[in-house]
Amino acid sequence: MTRQTTHRFIPRRPISVLASIIGALWLLLSGGAQAGCIDQKQLLGVNIAGAEFNAKRLPGVLNKDYVYPSPKDLAHFRDLGMNVVRVPIRWERIQQQPNAPLDPTELEQLRRVVNSARDLGLCTLIDLHNYGSHSGRVVGSADLPATAFIDVWLRLHQAFSDPNDAAFGLMNEPKAVPVPQWLTIAQDTVLALRNAGAKNLLMVGSGRWSGAHEWERSFDGVSAASEFRNFKDPLNNFAIELHQYADADYSGTTGTCIDAARLRTVMDKVTAWAKLEKKRLFLGEFGVADSPECLAALQVLLESMQDADAWLGWSYWAAGAWWGKYPFSIHPTTAREAGQLTVLRTFLPK
């Protein structure tokens, strides 16, 4: 997602003593966290943004230019009933030079998040938030061959090999790569990970901005709908990651929303395709402003993902302590609960 604002710290609403006691008792009675990424009927959660911030300052300074989710952030959304957190990261930070070892300091920060989430029973979806490039070089080009992209994922698999701890989001919105080329690279990456023994759930983004609204639209003679019919995963443990925003151009850059009926049509079409082709979908990003028309759009998006045969789940965009006044944010503040979260709650386990 490109939709960033000026980031500043907002004080979090403290978790109440009662909530902390209830959480501790739940862990005690359940024998510890049991959920994670495996054996979930659906993965329902949120993007906790921050580690991908300030892309013009790379690698940047931790806690000055970018920030990782805190354990309290993770616990807050777990306590709401969510079971997955999508954590956007920058390729240039986790691997400063293609084909090089992962940066140990950055890897330790990501490992801290994954371990904290695991202890809470959350699945971490590691999202390489790079739009199909590294330091301005496009994946699949002479300057950055597809083998370099496969390399970073093989290294991340070595670091996060437990499939119950982490799922892998191959590439957020790979707009820099032509659609036919991206789908070939994605297929090769999935096969390389499986050949290396990876059992993790894989999220494979469709081309461009991954918009559900252009699922059947052709680019260079190829549509995601046609290509994913023959997409292969030897373990059949993948989902097609789509994104869908509700403003007029579907960019997620304004606080306005179109008629919710148009969004229902978009979502119904991809749902029907997934059921026919026996594929799973995951809505990795969707977000709206806190207004009546936008909350109606959010309601429709969530209603459209109730068929578990088609939808593995969703992660709302977004939370994160540095969002400031970003209109889509559901991060806890001292103000009233965001209207978007009130809607989301009705689609979470009680």
Side-chain angles (χ1 to χ4, degrees), residues 143-156:
D143 292 333
L144 188 67
T147 53
F149 180 66
I150 293 172
D151 174 82
V152 70
W153 275 114
L154 291 176
R155 293 178 190 273
L156 283 166

Side-chain angles (χ1 to χ4, degrees), residues 19-227:
S20 299
I21 293 172
I22 291 172
L25 286 173
W26 179 86
L27 286 172
L28 179 64
L29 294 173
S30 64
Q34 299 292 324
C37 302
I38 297 176
D39 297 329
Q40 297 278 8
K41 291 182 179 179
Q42 284 193 304
L43 293 171
L44 310 175
V46 65
N47 290 264
I48 303 185
E52 84 288 14
F53 279 4
N54 286 312
K56 294 182 179 179
R57 298 179 184 176
L58 294 172
V61 178
L62 180 65
N63 295 324
K64 178 181 178 182
D65 298 316
Y66 65 103
V67 65
Y68 278 88
S70 72
K72 287 185 178 181
D73 292 341
L74 299 171
H76 173 79
F77 290 103
R78 189 283 309 271
D79 291 346
L80 292 175
M82 295 181 178
N83 59 12
V84 63
V85 287
R86 185 174 182 255
V87 179
I89 64 171
R90 290 293 306 196
W91 187 354
E92 296 91 344
R93 288 175 177 143
I94 197 71
Q95 187 185 45
Q96 294 187 17
Q97 295 298 325
N99 297 303
L102 300 183
D103 181 83
T105 301
E106 200 73 11
L107 182 60
E108 183 56 32
Q109 291 297 320
L110 183 56
R111 198 187 307 279
R112 175 187 61 77
V113 174
V114 172
N115 289 346
S116 295
R118 177 201 61 212
D119 292 344
L120 290 164
L122 292 167
C123 174
T124 301
L125 172 52
I126 299 172
D127 160 48
L128 203 62
H129 210 83
N130 271 75
Y131 308 98
S133 67
H134 181 296
S135 303
R137 293 168 286 182
V138 176
V139 175
S141 68
D143 292 333
L144 188 67
T147 53
F149 180 66
I150 293 172
D151 174 82
V152 70
W153 275 114
L154 291 176
R155 293 178 190 273
L156 283 166
H157 164 244
Q158 291 175 352
F160 302 101
S161 59
D162 191 331
N164 200 43
D165 290 354
F168 300 155
L170 298 187
M171 178 61 71
N172 179 75
E173 298 177 354
K175 67 179 183 65
V177 187
V179 172
Q181 186 179 14
W182 162 248
L183 293 175
T184 297
I185 292 170
Q187 178 66 90
D188 291 345
T189 304
V190 168
L191 295 177
L193 282 166
R194 296 310 186 208
N195 287 338
K199 295 181 172 59
N200 307 68
L201 169 66
L202 305 178
M203 302 293 190
V204 184
S206 65
R208 288 171 41 91
W209 303 100
S210 299
H213 61 278
E214 56 183 32
W215 178 243
E216 295 181 339
R217 182 178 171 187
S218 290
F219 298 94
D220 300 317
V222 167
S223 72
S226 63
E227 292 301 295

Side-chain angles (χ1 to χ4, degrees), residues 325-340:
K325 295 182 179 180
Y326 179 56
F328 295 1
S329 176
I330 60 169
H331 202 79
T333 72
T334 55
R336 69 171 180 85
E337 177 176 288
Q340 303 96 316

Side-chain angles (χ1 to χ4, degrees), residues 259-337:
D259 185 348
R262 287 174 57 186
L263 291 171
R264 190 182 296 278
T265 298
V266 167
M267 298 295 285
D268 286 350
K269 284 184 177 179
V270 295
T271 300
W273 180 92
K275 294 188 70 173
L276 178 65
E277 300 296 335
K278 295 181 171 55
K279 296 290 194 297
R280 294 189 300 176
L281 307 172
F282 183 81
L283 199 64
E285 288 186 18
F286 62 110
V288 300
D290 188 352
S291 67
E293 64 273 15
C294 287
L295 296 182
L298 178 59
Q299 177 81 18
V300 162
L301 287 170
L302 292 162
E303 288 174 352
S304 300
M305 293 184 284
Q306 294 308 293
D307 192 325
D309 290 335
W311 289 97
L312 176 61
W314 46 261
S315 53
Y316 178 85
W317 185 273
W322 282 14
W323 273 123
K325 295 182 179 180
Y326 179 56
F328 295 1
S329 176
I330 60 169
H331 202 79
T333 72
T334 55
R336 69 171 180 85
E337 177 176 288

